[in-house]
Amino acid sequence: MSGAMAVKENSAPSKVNSGGSIPPGSLPRSVNFLLGGTAGCGAVFVTQPLDLIKNRMQLSGEGGANRVHKTSFHALVRIVRTEGFFALYNGLSAGLFRQATYSTTRLGVYQSLFDRFSSSDGRPPGVLTKIAFGMIAGATGALIGTPAEISLIRMTSDGRLPPSEQRGYKNVFDALARISREEGLGTLWRGCGPTVLRAMVVNAAQLATYSQAKQFLLTTSYFVDDIKCHFGSSMISGLVTTLVSMPVDIAKTRIQTMKTVDGVPEYNGSMDVWKQLVRKEGIFSLWKGFTPYYARLGPHTVLTFIFLEQFRRLYYDYYVRNK
């Protein structure tokens, strides 16, 4: 997603829409952080059900045969039938809190670095530099957002457990408080390693593929720098990012939801998750939940980008350009 902002300044003049590009450094640093989080929160209202289905698919197979979801559609039907339609929005408060922490930090850090290292004439940094910025921003956001991520994973997966084993968190703040009290403060950062790794992989993949996809689309006669181009570039970026990051995401999900029995954790890190998955369920289990993951990542990237660009444009037009 962060690559979307970077590519905009690279577009050829004849292909830029009438609003023009926002010069690097035009918006205050605090505004970049605020708008990044706001855009992410707006997108999560649409993508939360897909995130829940993705998490259920990744945990499918744990807890017995009756917890197996054959396909994403099968998971959707079973959730609605057994838990009700609004169960698709279980964990919404955690999803919003995650965006308020992770996305605010990630997008704010990226834009701040992007502005800082753009040349005085407005020329953006090179591709490798932008990839490095994306990885730094992703890692920083993941460190801050891991507690919200753990709450989100647990709240969206709670319905798959037998009633006697469900945690029953009321909201994200109840989840954070109970996890700290019942399992120790350090549990809020369980799986922080794979979470940070996933964030770095996702940001690097999104940045590189979005940039290249948009650059290619703008060389054709069918696209200009508008929402249609952003949508196409984001979906291509989402596909590549999904393929690359899903094994890391599955390891993160399983580690964050695992139980410790008699002091022995279920998994001993990402490598152990991958080994057990491949041995028990086959190599393609590393991409279990691919459809909802991609269906979420693509629209979430598109929506976040559209919201962010509109918010930045409004702020620039009303508070910067007219000064």
Side-chain angles (χ1 to χ4, degrees), residues 26 28 31 311 313-323:
S26 298
V31 171
F311 294 157
R313 170 59 58 189
L314 287 171
Y315 186 92
Y316 179 75
D317 286 344
Y318 284 96
Y319 295 102
V320 178
R321 176 183 290 175
N322 295 328
K323 276 190 176 181

Side-chain angles (χ1 to χ4, degrees), residues 33 36-38 40-41 93-109 137-138 140-149 172-173 176:
F33 279 84
T38 304
C41 287
S93 63
L96 292 172
F97 189 63
R98 179 179 181 273
Q99 294 302 318
T101 52
Y102 171 67
S103 285
T104 296
T105 304
R106 176 178 73 115
L107 298 177
V109 167
T140 306
L143 282 171
I144 295 174
T146 294
E149 179 86 11
V172 64
F173 301 110
L176 293 171

Side-chain angles (χ1 to χ4, degrees), residues 128-147:
L128 293 179
T129 303
K130 287 183 279 190
I131 290 175
F133 289 169
M135 295 178 72
I136 293 170
T140 306
L143 282 171
I144 295 174
T146 294

Side-chain angles (χ1 to χ4, degrees), residues 41-237:
C41 287
V44 83
F45 277 105
V46 179
T47 60
Q48 177 68 17
L50 297 170
D51 206 27
L52 183 139
I53 294 171
K54 182 266 295 182
N55 288 338
R56 295 287 184 92
M57 287 293 295
Q58 289 183 342
L59 294 168
S60 178
E62 292 189 337
N66 63 327
R67 304 296 169 192
V68 175
H69 297 303
K70 301 173 183 176
T71 64
S72 299
F73 182 74
H74 178 253
L76 171 65
V77 171
R78 174 174 284 182
I79 291 167
V80 172
R81 187 175 65 243
T82 60
E83 303 173 47
F85 175 80
F86 290 105
L88 294 173
Y89 282 90
N90 284 347
L92 178 61
S93 63
L96 292 172
F97 189 63
R98 179 179 181 273
Q99 294 302 318
T101 52
Y102 171 67
S103 285
T104 296
T105 304
R106 176 178 73 115
L107 298 177
V109 167
Y110 178 81
Q111 191 63 49
S112 297
L113 290 171
F114 184 86
D115 291 344
R116 171 67 179 81
F117 288 91
S118 294
S119 63
S120 57
D121 61 357
R123 192 155 38 89
V127 173
L128 293 179
T129 303
K130 287 183 279 190
I131 290 175
F133 289 169
M135 295 178 72
I136 293 170
T140 306
L143 282 171
I144 295 174
T146 294
E149 179 86 11
I150 289 216
S151 302
L152 174 63
I153 295 292
R154 290 191 175 192
M155 291 176 74
T156 55
S157 63
D158 207 32
R160 60 178 263 280
L161 298 171
S164 60
E165 297 180 19
Q166 291 180 5
R167 296 180 171 99
Y169 300 132
K170 298 175 183 177
N171 52 56
V172 64
F173 301 110
D174 180 51
L176 293 171
R178 283 183 51 191
I179 291 170
S180 301
R181 185 174 63 251
E182 297 169 6
E183 304 174 53
L185 189 63
T187 306
L188 293 176
W189 278 271
R190 177 185 287 172
C192 186
T195 301
V196 170
L197 177 61
R198 175 193 175 276
M200 294 175 70
V201 169
V202 166
N203 278 268
Q206 279 185 330
L207 175 57
T209 57
Y210 186 96
S211 178
Q212 290 303 113
K214 185 173 181 182
Q215 182 179 342
F216 170 75
L217 293 178
L218 289 176
T219 61
T220 71
S221 59
Y222 301 103
F223 292 93
V224 295
D225 193 358
D226 58 8
I227 290 178
K228 184 174 71 170
C229 179
H230 303 156
F231 178 83
S233 302
S234 296
M235 294 305 286
I236 294 171
S237 172

Side-chain angles (χ1 to χ4, degrees), residues 22-38:
I22 299 174
S26 298
L27 275 60
R29 185 176 301 174
S30 59
V31 171
N32 286 323
F33 279 84
L34 176 63
L35 297 185
T38 304

